[in-house]
Amino acid sequence: MSVHETKVHEEHHELSFIQKYIFSQDHKIIGIQFLFSGLIFLVLGGVLALLVRLQLGWPHADQGWLGQILDWSPAAGQRMSPEQYNTFFTMHATVMIFFVIIPLLTGAFGNFTIPLMIGAPDMAFPKLNMMSYWFMWPGFIIMLLSFSLGVAPGGAAGAGWTSYPTLASIGMPVGGGAESPAAPNSGWGQILWLLSLIFVGVSSMMGSVNYITTIINMRAPGMTLFRMPLTVWGMFITAILQAFALPVLTVALVLQTLDKTISTTFFLPPGVLEFGNWTTNPGGGQPILWQHLFWFYSHPAVYIMILPAMGIVSDVISTFSRKPLFGYRPMVYAICGIAGLGFIVWGHHMFQSGMDPRLGTGFMIATIMIALPSAVKTFNWLGTTWRGNLHLTTAMLNALGFVALFVIGGLSGLFMAATPVDVFIHDTYFIVAHIHYVLFMSSLFGIFAGIYYWFPKMFGRLMNETAGKVHFFLTFIFGNMTFYPMHLVGAAGLRRRIFDPTMTGFESNVQFLNQFMSVSAFLLGAAQLIFAVNFFYSLFWGKEAGRNPWRSNTLEWTTPSPPPHGNFEVTPVVYHGPYEYSVPGMEDDHVMQTRKLEGVPVGAGH
Amino acid sequence: MSEEKREESQEETKPQEEEKAEAEAHTEHGDEKPVEDKEAHASSSHAEGHGPAVGVYTAIFAALSVFTLLSFAFNGAMQSGMISAMTSFALIMGVAVIKACLVAIVFMHLMFDWKRVYFMIIPAIVLGLLILIVLLPDIVLGWKSVAAHELTPP
Amino acid sequence: MAHAVQEEKRLHMGLPIPNGKLAMWLFLVTEIMFFTALIGTYIVLRNGQPIPVHDLVAGMDQDGNGEIARSEARGEIADLFEHGDQDNNGSLSEHEVGQIASVLSLPWPSPHQVHLIEWIGALNTFVLICSSFSVVLAHHAITHGDVKKTTIYITITLALGAVFLVVKAFEYNSKFSHHILPGYVFDRLDGSRGAQYLAKVQAELTEIKEHADHVSAEAAADCDKLLRELTAREKEGLRSLTPEELGLRVNALLEKHPDLHLTPVIPWGNMWASCYFAMTGFHALHVLGGLVVFAIILLMAFFGTLGAQHAGLIELTGLYWHFVDIVWIFLFPLLYLV
């Protein structure tokens, strides 16, 4: 049977190299493409972050050879200019959010795991899937081009990743070209930024339609919604969030592009703004409208960047605790709850914007309610490890790191949610600490957990555990050393996004912490080299993995590693939920989802 | 092979029976249960046989045309002062909603497909209304943000 | 694989609709959000415009900004609104002033001010409804295996869609020729815009004077009077016209002689143009996309590959096309009527 099947495959799919690895329609290859491009941009985003830290740590120092390489003017002490600093922190955030975290979580893991975990031969629309990847590339290229002074004379976008009007939106009067009177790098750089994100948005939209269709309609026999692994649940809800929220961002991006190119004034206030000889275009829009439209997407985007990681972590923790996940259904409802609430809390980014204060109270209450499902998830992860047979593999360590640091990130989020507290700490480093605990320390640990966990399935080889553990501990330690002091300097009043952190006395007082954070950040960056070496070494010379190296239950582990085109030799039939570990009375401590159990009680509801 | 499968699928129904009650109690999506043969067949073939008759389409088309004229007439009535601007706004938007519903229900076959796609459409409408409602208070900002001296009337 | 596919059908886990239809509905959901955001933007910007002009005029004397000449001018405008233009030998009747005041006090341009003709919008609505009807008939025909009828109906749909775009093109052309474009409309006359406006209108009046045979005698006389007033007041020891006063007079002239080639003042005209082009532009792009798909279907029919197996394709295209129709059903009243 299986021999016959394989033969059919070979006959059907004699693909050239380009069809197989470049313009591939196979979800696994597309997932791996997303993985590699995401990791490459992770390097770029990391370098930008280190440049920002360099300036913050030693704002007055001569940068020497580095300054010479980067062509920083000797007259200014071979230091970056304030505009360049703005560009660096803007592009750091943009690259990390839109080109690293989202493509890695939804693009790489979504593509790779969804069909395998639900028992489908491929995505519902393989061609659309391929287009979704290749629509990223115009975005990548445009964003990279904007760094070139030849293309964008003022430099790449520098109005912050939130791109708030009026700074970002101001354009020249009719016929005045595309430069910006407000700042050199919000001219062409900003336009390219907007175009690039429109492409990325279209790509994500295609992906999300594909994911939802696949999960709803392509599940293997017996794979009911409540037998899906939580990774798939996370991806499912994430795709729904994207489908509903992204169009709104697209509208905002398009309208701002029009503001900057054809002199509309959707986001510019009615009163004339004057810059030297310039006045803004006539008309009368509303800057706060941009913030509403932007955060209507970008707050759900925060959950887009964490829900898949939560799903991955749930799977990893249950597998390596050799215990059923504590409270499977509450976990699912918690994901749904977070997503649902995620749509009605965007205003908490705007407490300081001057929007109608009556809205603020509503947004505050809704935001604080998100703590409930988040706490449910945290307790359930802890409950899963409770008295489990813990296997502290690298994937497990990263997952536990996620849980620990998500708690810190979540707790600091509560401060921001409360309007009166937010008024004090908004626009300080406290908020920077919060986002990095949630996005870097949580999402990225989720991504690392996923990479260590599925690497054997993706490439057929195991990653080196020792190097992996060293990488984890160094990342954990240096990460906390980099980001924890940000809470302190934020509470001390250090403003975010400023070029020179020693401008005022109260800010100079914490400069030693800034230097400490910068040194830690460089060490953190260096620690990632271990990961890079481990990744590429294991790719070629790692230990052969076999089908199921982690003795896990879910469907992807029934296939060969790496799985062939079409995934499953025989369409799997699913008999129970994904977390039947250590079932009493069984000789083995795991029960594959495809294995029928007779006379043995399985976990409630599965 | 096929025998083995059949056996499996018979077994398959057992755990599902247990699940059914629970799933129905909790589910939001309603697509928990594997679809039986009959249902799947009926659905894939509904387009072939069960579409409304041409007469129904024609009637809807006529209704849409009449409604378009109606909204035009409301506008005329407003301009000639017969009804207030507010009334005409409500009437015209009401007519637009009715027209949209007619197109969606009959032309887009929601009369057949509603139970299969409602879980996508309802959230979209809720979120759409939500964003409109939340944006509305900011209309006031336009009034506040312009001091009289900044604004010059022609 | 063949086995697998059969098995899957037998125990299909998902919804009893084809993947394509599910994906199309999901796509339409994203489109609903897209157009809701656009329409929401329009509603907020339209209703968020500052208070009507006459309220503003009443409150204007208290702005205390020290610009005596300007506030005098504003006082005159306020007088003008209340008592008519005494200064100008009553060239504006009380009724006319009342009319202008009511137009100028609108917080948003009326369709008339921006040369938007309601019945053309209604006509386009009807055209799209017809095309929706024909596409649904095409689907009906193909489910009964009648490829010939399907081809005819799809051709009709394509033609109607093209008619819609042609009408739209004429409408856009009228906007271009009247300079009702974002950034081009004179909707505020402070700062450098005022000086620009004075210069522009003076040039236009001179132009009309030089080619007086193109306009009626009465219109030419009125223009000439305005031009003399614009240039000769200084000689008579009067202060020159402010841009605001000029704007008011030009608007009045255009009320009287709508065909004159003069630049009117349209409060919030730039915002209106921005919203109008963004909304109708995106809708037109969607229409264009639909037309491309219809053209592909017709090509398939031309090469004889269209058959009953394409009922799904035509249904999905129809779904998209009906959605485009629904969007226009909302855009039409929002832009043309209310």
Side-chain angles (χ1 to χ4, degrees), chain A residues 28-232:
Chain A
K28 297 180 290 295
I29 303 291
I30 295 172
I32 290 167
Q33 285 172 330
F34 267 113
L35 179 69
F36 275 99
S37 37
L39 289 176
I40 290 168
F41 276 92
L42 181 63
V43 175
L44 174 66
V47 168
L48 288 168
L50 294 184
L51 286 169
V52 169
R53 283 299 344 157
L54 181 73
Q55 169 65 23
L56 290 174
W58 301 273
H60 306 296
D62 188 323
Q63 302 303 350
W65 59 269
L66 188 64
Q68 278 171 2
I69 293 174
L70 291 171
D71 207 18
W72 289 335
S73 93
Q78 294 191 324
R79 282 182 293 134
M80 66 182 78
S81 64
E83 287 81 16
Q84 273 176 321
Y85 174 80
N86 287 351
T87 290
F88 289 153
F89 78 69
T90 301
M91 294 312 261
H92 162 64
T94 309
V95 165
M96 285 299 195
I97 289 168
F98 293 105
F99 292 169
V100 178
I101 303 284
I102 293 180
L104 279 180
L105 280 176
T106 63
F109 291 121
N111 263 310
F112 190 83
T113 59
I114 288 174
L116 280 170
M117 285 183 131
I118 63 171
D122 204 322
M123 284 285 179
F125 307 103
K127 276 209 184 75
L128 187 70
N129 206 13
M130 177 186 78
M131 275 167 66
S132 131
Y133 177 68
W134 287 104
F135 253 76
M136 291 293 285
W137 273 95
F140 289 158
I141 292 170
I142 292 172
M143 197 65 93
L144 287 176
L145 277 181
S146 77
F147 279 100
S148 149
L149 292 183
V151 179
W161 81 279
T162 52
S163 199
Y164 274 7
T166 50
L167 175 59
S169 269
I170 284 176
M172 297 295 236
V174 175
E179 288 312 308
S180 163
N185 54 3
S186 56
W188 270 110
Q190 184 66 26
I191 294 174
L192 294 175
W193 186 90
L194 292 162
L195 290 178
S196 168
L197 288 199
I198 290 172
F199 275 107
V200 173
V202 172
S203 153
S204 295
M205 220 122 70
M206 292 183 197
S208 68
V209 167
N210 211 345
Y211 294 174
I212 299 174
T213 312
T214 307
I215 294 175
I216 290 182
N217 255 9
M218 302 275 287
R219 279 169 286 140
M223 178 63 86
T224 59
L225 281 183
F226 281 95
R227 285 178 186 172
M228 296 197 308
L230 273 175
T231 304
V232 179

